[in-house]
Amino acid sequence: MPKDVNLHILSELTAEKRHLLLQRTEADLGPFIEKVQPIIERVRSDGDAALSHFARELDKSPVEPDAIAATPEDFDQAFEALDREMIEVLTFASDNVRRFHEAQMPEEMWFKEMHPGVFAGDRIVPIDSVACYVPRGKGSFPSVVMMTAIPAVVAQVPEAVIITPPGLDGKIDAATLVAARLAGIERVYKCGGAQAVAAVAYGTETVPRCLKIVGPGSPWVVAAKRVLADRIDPGIPAGPSEAIILADETANGRVCALDLLIEAEHGSDSSAYLVTNSRKVAEAARAAVPDFWREMSDQRVGFSADVLCGERGGIVLTDSMDDAIDFVNDYAPEHLEIQAKDPHQYLGMIRNAGEILMGEHTAVSLGNFVLGPNAVLPTNAAARTRSPLSVFDFTKRISIGHVTKKGYDQLAPYAFKFARYEGFDAHGNALSEMRTKAFNSSS
């Protein structure tokens, strides 16, 4: 049995130790950036042959250069191989995710008359091509397929593809293929890690070049996105999993412990904290964790113990809920779950979080799989400025304007003075009597 879960008493920590609690695995990508660069260069120069090489070397998977793309037969076999009940689960969850993102989709265009004869607005158009990254290293994640592929389809991206590491058998996980077809995407490619990011950044003989990549991944993936950021839009930062369970004195400590383990079991590079002002809740949760470890596999116990007994997890005991909420806002977690009889009283105090799940029945697991809102969320404190993955990540706004002669007569004098003040001659000339003369001369 692992050692005791960390108990951090916030008021007793130095500023430096408090700061260390806020750090994530991906904070220092230096070593990974150095290692991904030769992988990226190999894919850029050798294309499919490099993807096959790295599949064998890094994924231990026998993928030939001419077998990188999933075939229609692969999809059909996946539906035959996957348990009927699991297909029903994926269908139910996919429907919830689709309905949420359809409701989220903005109007195609808005146009407003700002002044008589002066019209301005936005037109919403999909991004031409996007790659959805679906990890596999510590399991298979058809839920990530739903969260990335469905909003891409709802946003009507013309070319949306999925890239995912192959298994030891050289195949794509069956549930991943089923979820992809349910989402409406059948262009799925066997490549993962930094090599997959390079493949969609440059394009290979099989994998198309894409303008953007979305989805969570390991530090290798995050590092490759950073290196290639001038070649492909890396999307929101989505690295190793992280969560905070925020609990007041009305919370059930054992339930808090159950939910604390959710994101902690993803991997040793995850981060997870229970933050509470109640010593009773803290002690009950700490005592309960070993009980729940007995109901988990050795692998998941190992991952969660590394987190909760290591440098990036445990229980944070505060003097007050104000202190607890300050810690949450400083941390800006990917997932935030509020455990309280009245969670709504704290909602307005939370400024920084990828998602807020409120109440004792709203476990992070529901948000990850079936609730509907997107579970691909900003990590590494990016929730201070970034939002969850959404249809907005697959679309862009184009500003539009139209000015009549009446509107021009009102706006031009103001813009002319701006141009003269900032020293732009052509700007000013285009709004001067020269314009009138130009119209007259052309007629």
Side-chain angles (χ1 to χ4, degrees), residues 10 18 21-22 24 242-248 273-277 316 318 320-339 346-357 380-384:
L10 196 62
R18 185 184 190 279
L21 294 184
L22 305 179
R24 276 73 148 189
E242 56 187 60
I244 285 182
I245 311 300
L246 174 65
D248 68 11
Y273 291 103
L274 166 61
V275 182
T276 180
N277 66 326
V316 177
T318 67
S320 67
M321 279 302 288
D322 285 342
D323 290 342
I325 290 168
D326 285 344
F327 182 86
V328 168
N329 283 323
D330 287 345
Y331 192 90
E334 176 190 19
H335 305 273
L336 174 64
E337 184 180 305
I338 302 179
Q339 284 283 346
Y346 304 116
L347 178 60
M349 303 177 190
I350 304 299
R351 303 187 312 278
N352 302 323
E355 70 174 357
I356 303 173
L357 302 172
N380 197 26
R384 294 170 184 167

Side-chain angles (χ1 to χ4, degrees), residues 243-270:
I244 285 182
I245 311 300
L246 174 65
D248 68 11
E249 63 279 356
T250 69
N252 181 306
R254 291 186 66 83
V255 173
C256 291
L258 269 176
D259 293 357
L260 179 63
L261 288 163
I262 294 171
E263 294 303 302
E265 77 168 341
H266 270 282
S268 299
D269 55 359
S270 298

Side-chain angles (χ1 to χ4, degrees), residues 400-411:
I400 51 178
H402 173 67
V403 180
T404 66
K405 177 60 169 63
K406 182 177 181 181
Y408 173 84
D409 290 342
Q410 181 181 3
L411 264 60

Side-chain angles (χ1 to χ4, degrees), residues 142 160 164 374 378:
T164 187
N374 210 292

Side-chain angles (χ1 to χ4, degrees), residues 382-423:
R384 294 170 184 167
T385 60
R386 306 294 290 273
S387 305
L389 192 71
S390 69
V391 294
F392 305 113
D393 291 282
F394 298 94
T395 59
K396 58 181 180 176
R397 292 178 295 108
I398 301 176
S399 296
I400 51 178
H402 173 67
V403 180
T404 66
K405 177 60 169 63
K406 182 177 181 181
Y408 173 84
D409 290 342
Q410 181 181 3
L411 264 60
Y414 292 99
F416 179 84
K417 290 177 182 177
F418 251 119
R420 285 289 182 259
Y421 183 84
E422 295 192 355

Side-chain angles (χ1 to χ4, degrees), residues 142-362:
S143 59
V144 177
V145 178
M146 298 187 310
M147 298 298 176
T148 56
I150 290 174
V153 172
V154 170
Q156 300 181 33
V157 173
E159 186 173 43
V161 305
I162 292 171
I163 47 177
T164 187
L168 296 177
D169 57 359
K171 297 180 179 180
I172 297 169
D173 167 63
T176 293
L177 290 175
V178 170
R181 178 170 280 180
L182 291 174
I185 293 180
E186 301 213 9
R187 299 183 68 182
V188 182
Y189 302 97
K190 304 171 188 175
C191 52
Q195 60 270 28
V197 181
V200 292
Y202 290 106
T204 72
E205 298 91 331
T206 300
V207 182
R209 182 188 175 192
C210 294
L211 297 175
K212 186 171 186 176
I213 181 171
V214 300
S218 69
W220 293 84
V221 172
V222 177
K225 287 181 180 180
R226 186 170 297 181
V227 170
L228 291 164
D230 62 344
R231 182 77 186 181
I232 186 170
D233 183 339
I236 64 172
S241 301
E242 56 187 60
I244 285 182
I245 311 300
L246 174 65
D248 68 11
E249 63 279 356
T250 69
N252 181 306
R254 291 186 66 83
V255 173
C256 291
L258 269 176
D259 293 357
L260 179 63
L261 288 163
I262 294 171
E263 294 303 302
E265 77 168 341
H266 270 282
S268 299
D269 55 359
S270 298
S271 306
Y273 291 103
L274 166 61
V275 182
T276 180
N277 66 326
S278 169
R279 181 171 287 274
K280 179 181 178 182
V281 170
E283 291 177 349
R286 196 180 191 202
V289 167
D291 294 341
F292 300 135
W293 272 334
R294 295 186 182 94
E295 304 300 321
M296 295 165 59
S297 70
D298 290 344
Q299 182 190 45
R300 299 302 171 181
V301 170
F303 288 154
S304 58
D306 286 346
V307 174
L308 299 179
C309 306
E311 297 179 353
R312 293 178 301 277
I315 298 171
V316 177
L317 181 61
T318 67
D319 289 341
S320 67
M321 279 302 288
D322 285 342
D323 290 342
I325 290 168
D326 285 344
F327 182 86
V328 168
N329 283 323
D330 287 345
Y331 192 90
E334 176 190 19
H335 305 273
L336 174 64
E337 184 180 305
I338 302 179
Q339 284 283 346
K341 294 299 183 184
D342 180 16
H344 294 269
Q345 66 179 305
Y346 304 116
L347 178 60
M349 303 177 190
I350 304 299
R351 303 187 312 278
N352 302 323
E355 70 174 357
I356 303 173
L357 302 172
M358 298 190 295
E360 56 191 8
H361 300 300
T362 317

